[in-house]
C-alpha cells in the first residue's frame, strides 16, 4: 500500500474516530436528559397517586378514583393490591388489565424500567406499597418512550451520516494535500532512476519550495550527495588516467632504449643510465602512490614526539644545497628556535618536497629563502623562491594528486616530478593539526607556508589520522 494511501486512510480514521467518540458522548447525554424528563413526569404522577391512596391496618388499598386526579394525558397508572389484584387503573380499568411491568411487581424498592408491550415501548416506574416492612401492593406509572426513541434515531442518523461525510472529506483533503507534499519525492525517485539508467551524475533535483522544510532539506542533502559522488567519480577517473599516463611515459622510454640496444646489438651505457633513471622514477612513483593509498585508509601511523624544527630545517638545507649546487642560491632567512609535536621523518619529507620544488621550478641564478618563526600558537615555516610562479588557475589544484601545471608538464626538466609531492605534504601537515598555503605570481615566484601548532609541554596523544578530501 502506498504511503499516500496509508496517510489518507490514517487521516480518515482519525477524523472518523474523533467524531464517533464525541457523537456517542452527545448521543448518550441527550438520551439521558430526555429519559430524565420522562422519569420526572412518572415520579410526579406517582407522588400524586400515592398521596391519594390509603392503606388500612389490614393492608387493604383504597384510592380515590384515578380518573378524578387530573393526571397527565400521556401516562398510564395501575394500582395493584395484595395477591397482585388490580385495584384501579388510568386511563381505564378495562383496557389496562395486564401489568405495565409484570417483572417490576416483585420489586421491594422503587425502580424505573424500559418495557416492551406489544409494539409499544414504555418507561415504567414501579413503587412498592406497604405498612412497615409488609408489602401490600404496588403502584405502576408508565409512559411511552416514543420521544426518546425518535431522538435517538435522529441522533444516530446525524451521527452516521455526519461521520461518514467528515471521513470522506478528511480522506479527500489528505489525498490531495499528500499528493502536493509528496510530489517532490516522486521527483527524487525519477531523478535517481534517470541517474541510474543514464549513468549521469551531473543531474540535480530541481526544487522550488522552501529549502528549510523537510522535503527541501532532503533534496538539498540528496543534491549534495550527488555533487560529492560526481566529484569522487571524476577524481577517480582522472586519477586512473593520470596513473596510466605517468606509468606509460617511463615505460615507453625504457622500451625505446631496450629496442635501441637490441638494434645496435650492444650495451649502450647512456641507454642503460636512462633505463635506470626511469626505473627509479617508477619505483618512487609507486612508493608515493602506496604511501597516499595507505594515508587515505589511515594505515600510516604518525609518531608524536618533540621535533626541533630549526635543527630539522638546517639538516634539510645541507641536503638540498647539494641539489641546488651553484645553479641557485639557497639561503636561510630568519630562523627561530621552534618546537612542535609530530613525526620527524614525515615533517622532513614535507620540507624536502617544498625546497625541492623551488629548486626544480626556479631558473638558474634564482634565489630560494627558507624561514622559520612563530605566530601566536603556531610555528610558521616559509619557502620562498623567485622562480616560474604558479598560474592563478592552477593554484586551487596543486595539492591534488597528479596535478601539475601545464608549464610543469611540458617543461623539459630532469623528468622527476609527477604531481604527488604536494598531495603527500598536504596530508602530512593536515595530520599534524596544521595547514599549508601558497601565494604565487607568475614570473615573480612563489611562497609556500606551513603552519604547525607549537608543542605545549609534552606530546602524549598520538596524532589522529584524517582522510584527506583533495
Ligand atoms: P611535482 O612532482 O610535479 O613537483 P608536486 O605535487 O610537488 O608535483 O607539485 C605540483 C605542481 O605544483 C607542480 O607540478 C608545479 O606545477 C607546481 N609547483 C609546486 N611548487 C612550485 C614552485 N615552487 N614553483 C612553481 N610551481 C610549483
Amino acid at each position: 500500500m502506498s504511503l499516500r494511501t496509508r496517510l489518507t486512510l490514517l487521516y480518515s480514521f482519525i477524523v472518523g474516530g474523533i467524531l464517533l467518540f464525541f457523537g456517542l458522548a452527545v448521543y448518550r447525554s441527550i438520551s439521558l436528559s430526555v429519559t430524565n424528563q420522562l422519569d420526572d413526569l412518572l415520579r410526579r404522577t406517582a407522588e400524586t397517586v400515592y398521596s391519594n391512596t390509603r392503606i388500612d391496618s389490614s393492608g387493604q388499598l383504597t384510592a380515590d378514583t384515578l380518573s378524578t386526579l387530573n393526571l397527565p394525558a400521556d401516562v398510564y397508572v395501575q394500582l395493584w393490591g395484595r395477591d397482585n389484584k388490580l385495584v384501579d387503573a388510568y386511563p381505564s380499568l378495562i383496557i389496562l388489565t395486564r401489568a405495565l411491568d409484570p417483572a417490576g411487581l416483585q420489586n421491594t424498592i422503587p425502580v424505573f424500567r424500559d418495557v416492551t408491550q406489544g409494539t409499544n415501548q414504555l418507561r415504567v416506574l414501579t413503587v412498592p406499597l406497604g405498612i412497615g416492612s409488609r408489602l401490600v401492593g404496588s403502584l405502576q406509572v408508565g409512559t411511552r418512550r416514543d420521544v426518546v426513541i425518535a431522538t435517538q434515531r435522529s441522533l444516530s442518523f446525524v451521527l452516521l451520516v455526519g461521520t461518514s461525510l467528515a471521513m470522506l472529506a478528511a480522506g479527500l483533503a489528505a489525498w490531495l494535500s499528500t499528493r502536493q507534499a509528496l510530489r517532490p519525492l516522486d521527483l527524487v525517485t525519477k531523478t535517481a532512476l534517470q541517474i541510474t539508467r543514464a549513468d549521469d551524475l551531473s543531474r540535480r533535483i530541481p526544487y522550488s519550495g522552501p529549502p528549510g522544510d523537510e522535503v527541501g532539506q532532503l533534496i538539498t542533502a540528496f543534491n549534495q550527495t550527488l555533487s560529492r559522488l560526481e566529484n569522487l567519480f571524476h577524481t577517480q577517473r582522472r586519477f586512473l588516467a593520470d596513473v596510466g599516463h605517468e606509468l606509460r611515459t617511463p615505460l615507453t622510454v625504457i622500451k625505446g632504449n631496450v629496442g635501441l640496444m637490441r638494434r645496435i646489438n650492444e650495451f649502450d651505457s647512456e641507454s642503460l643510465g636512462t633505463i635506470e633513471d626511469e626505473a627509479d622514477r617508477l619505483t618512487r612513483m609507486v612508493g608515493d602512490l602506496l604511501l597516499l593509498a595507505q594515508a587515505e585508509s589511515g594505515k600510516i601511523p604518525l609518531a608524536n614526539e618533540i621535533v626541533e624544527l630549526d635543527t630539522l630545517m638546517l639538516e634539510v638545507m645541507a641536503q638540498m644545497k647539494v641539489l641546488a649546487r651553484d645553479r641557485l642560491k639557497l639561503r636561510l632567512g630568519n630562523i627561530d628556535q621552534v618546537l612542535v609535536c609530530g613525526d620527524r621523518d614525515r615533517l622532513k619529507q614535507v620540507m624536502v618536497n617544498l625546497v625541492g620544488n623551488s629548486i626544480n621550478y626556479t631558473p638558474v641564478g634564482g634565489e630560494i629563502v627558507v624561514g622559520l618563526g612563530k605566530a601566536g600558537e603556531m610555528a610558521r615555516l616559509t619557502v620562498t623562491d623567485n622562480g616560474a610562479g604558479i598560474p592563478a588557475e592552477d593554484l586551487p589544484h596543486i595539492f591534488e594528486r597528479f596535478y601539475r601545471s601545464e608549464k610543469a608538464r611540458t617543461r623539459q626538466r630532469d623528468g622527476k616530478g609527477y604531481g604527488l609531492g604536494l598531495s603527500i605534504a598536504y596530508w602530512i601537515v593536515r595530520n599534524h593539526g596544521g595547514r599549508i598555503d601558497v601565494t604565487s605570481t607568475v614570473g615573480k615566484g612563489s611562497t609556500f607556508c606551513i603552519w604547525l601548532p607549537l608543542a605545549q609541554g609534552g606530546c602524549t596523544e598520538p596524532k589522529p589520522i584524517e582522510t584527506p578530501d583533495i
Side-chain angles (χ1 to χ4, degrees), residues 246 281 288 353-362 383-385 387-391 394 397-409 411 413 416-425 438 440 445-448:
E246 293 296 334
R281 181 174 147 83
D288 281 352
N353 179 265
L354 293 189
V355 179
N357 274 351
S358 286
I359 293 174
N360 282 337
Y361 299 107
T362 305
V383 180
T384 308
D385 64 55
I390 305 166
D394 291 330
H397 304 290
I398 55 168
F399 296 103
E400 293 171 14
R401 287 172 302 188
F402 288 113
Y403 194 88
R404 305 179 67 201
S405 70
E406 207 43 48
K407 243 180 166 179
R409 280 179 194 276
R411 230 154 62 116
R413 312 187 273 116
K416 279 181 187 147
Y418 37 77
L420 288 179
L422 283 181
S423 309
I424 295 173
V438 54
S440 186
S446 320
T447 298
F448 281 82

Side-chain angles (χ1 to χ4, degrees), residues 18-40:
I18 292 172
L19 277 182
L20 212 62
F21 178 77
F22 283 110
L24 285 177
V26 170
Y27 177 93
R28 198 172 149 64
S29 83
I30 291 183
S31 297
L32 263 177
S33 133
V34 178
T35 306
N36 280 343
Q37 286 174 14
L38 291 189
D39 290 354
D40 272 352

